[in-house]
Amino acid sequence: MLKMIGAVAALAMMTLTATAAEKVRFAVTDVEGLEKLHQEFGPFRDKLQELTGLEIEFFPVNSRTAAVEALSSDQVDMVLTGPAEYVVMKQLTNAEIVTAWQRPEYYAQVVVLADGPIKTVADLKGKKVAFGAVGSTSQHLGPAQVLTDLGLPQSDYTPEIISRNVAVEAMINGDIAAVGMNRGHLASIREAYPETAFIVLARGRDLPNDVLVARAGADSAAVQKVRDAFVKNGKELMASVVETTDDNKKYEGGFFITSVKDADYDYVRDMYRTIGVDSFNAFVGD
């Protein structure tokens, strides 16, 4: 009888363990609150559950730092984040790449007035250049790297962290020589300032993709099920992502890429070094 009870208890424990492993807790670093997660990723969550047989449970985080803490304390299993955030997460948590989320036309650029005095990157020497949110891949790190790649290190100009709309006004008024931004931002300012002509002075290479990571020690079978779903049913999953809010339209026309290595994000590490950050154990601006 005791042996039977022990066997039943062992079987129950194995069942509980298997059941627990079937749940995947999912977070997105730039989406705050459970309600917004449902709005932006509800259809994706439902489709991923259907394809994998896993229970995908939303885990809201209010910052990228909170996401790192959740990964480190095993509170969350997978996190969707940007390339600049990824390199810090990798350093602090040893998270594993599951798949990259491509954003077409995702690159950094430096914009100036079409009829202004700045005609070449060299003309920015000694001038003020504005960048957006501190640590942003496409508004700060990327544009700074573009200038460095074209022979203008940060020591040759004065970087200013200014919100984009204020920076554009300052550029129009002659207080700022150039503004770093991405393609979508340029489209927005051209719409907001139809009487002003802007041109791209410098454009960078396509930026590394957003990335879905799994925490170190996450259930390997569950991680593989998720990865397989992206490989076999990527079009369905992408359709479920872009059908929701306008913000998710940034992925429209993109692909999920699973042949991704940590070294693919070394360009982002170069960006950090360009702005004078040589370690990746903290988020810039926090």
Side-chain angles (χ1 to χ4, degrees):
M1 178 63 72
L2 288 176
K3 288 183 178 180
M4 182 179 293
I5 292 172
V8 170
L11 180 60
M13 183 61 69
M14 289 173 61
T15 302
L16 286 172
T17 301
T19 301
E22 294 300 301
K23 178 183 289 187
V24 173
R25 297 158 297 178
F26 174 85
V28 183
T29 52
D30 64 349
V31 178
E32 293 188 26
L34 187 58
E35 181 179 354
K36 194 171 182 185
L37 266 174
H38 279 284
Q39 289 174 349
E40 297 197 10
F41 290 94
F44 165 78
R45 186 269 318 274
D46 295 344
K47 178 58 67 174
L48 189 58
Q49 286 186 150
E50 174 192 326
L51 294 171
T52 62
L54 300 167
E55 178 186 353
I56 310 298
E57 178 181 276
F58 285 138
F59 186 93
V61 292
N62 59 16
S63 69
R64 53 196 182 180
T65 300
V68 165
E69 292 171 352
L71 283 168
S72 299
S73 59
D74 297 350
Q75 292 179 295
V76 69
D77 301 300
M78 293 188 182
V79 177
L80 176 63
T81 193
E85 290 79 11
Y86 163 73
V87 298
V88 177
M89 285 187 180
K90 178 65 176 178
Q91 179 74 21
L92 295 178
T93 72
N94 198 31
E96 170 191 358
I97 296 175
V98 179
T99 184
W101 293 39
Q102 186 189 36
R103 293 172 58 173
E105 305 295 330
Y106 182 46
Y107 50 81
Q109 53 193 5
V110 177
V111 173
V112 299
L113 297 176
D115 59 355
I118 305 301
K119 304 301 181 184
T120 69
V121 168
D123 292 337
L124 290 175
K125 188 169 185 178
K127 303 294 194 301
K128 293 181 180 179
V129 179
F131 302 102
V134 177
S136 165
T137 310
S138 66
Q139 298 182 69
H140 181 202
L141 303 179
Q145 187 63 37
V146 170
L147 294 178
T148 294
D149 289 344
L150 294 175
L152 190 76
Q154 186 169 269
S155 57
D156 281 358
Y157 61 89
T158 303
E160 302 277 357
I161 301 298
I162 308 173
S163 66
R164 187 169 59 258
N165 290 342
V166 174
V168 170
E169 291 280 0
M171 182 167 65
I172 292 172
N173 293 333
D175 299 320
I176 292 290
V179 182
M181 62 183 74
N182 65 34
R183 178 177 177 270
H185 298 149
L186 179 57
S188 296
I189 68 166
R190 281 177 168 155
E191 184 176 341
Y193 299 91
E195 303 302 318
T196 304
F198 302 95
I199 60 168
V200 176
L201 181 72
R203 178 205 188 280
R205 49 155 282 187
D206 282 9
L207 293 166
N209 300 304
D210 288 356
V211 62
L212 178 66
V213 300
R215 65 175 174 83
D219 181 75
S220 59
V223 171
Q224 192 58 50
K225 283 182 180 180
V226 171
R227 187 177 282 116
D228 288 345
F230 283 108
V231 171
K232 298 173 183 177
N233 305 98
K235 288 184 178 179
E236 289 180 66
L237 285 168
M238 184 60 77
S240 71
V241 171
V242 301
E243 74 176 44
T244 53
T245 61
D246 287 342
D247 189 58
N248 280 0
K249 293 294 189 289
K250 63 192 177 186
Y251 296 114
E252 197 162 31
F255 293 87
F256 298 116
I257 304 168
T258 54
S259 56
V260 184
K261 306 180 296 296
D262 176 70
D264 295 335
Y265 291 83
D266 284 346
Y267 185 62
V268 180
R269 295 179 175 99
D270 288 341
M271 295 178 192
Y272 276 105
R273 295 185 184 101
T274 287
I275 66 166
V277 177
D278 294 318
S279 61
F280 314 110
N281 55 8
F283 294 109
V284 178
D286 285 2

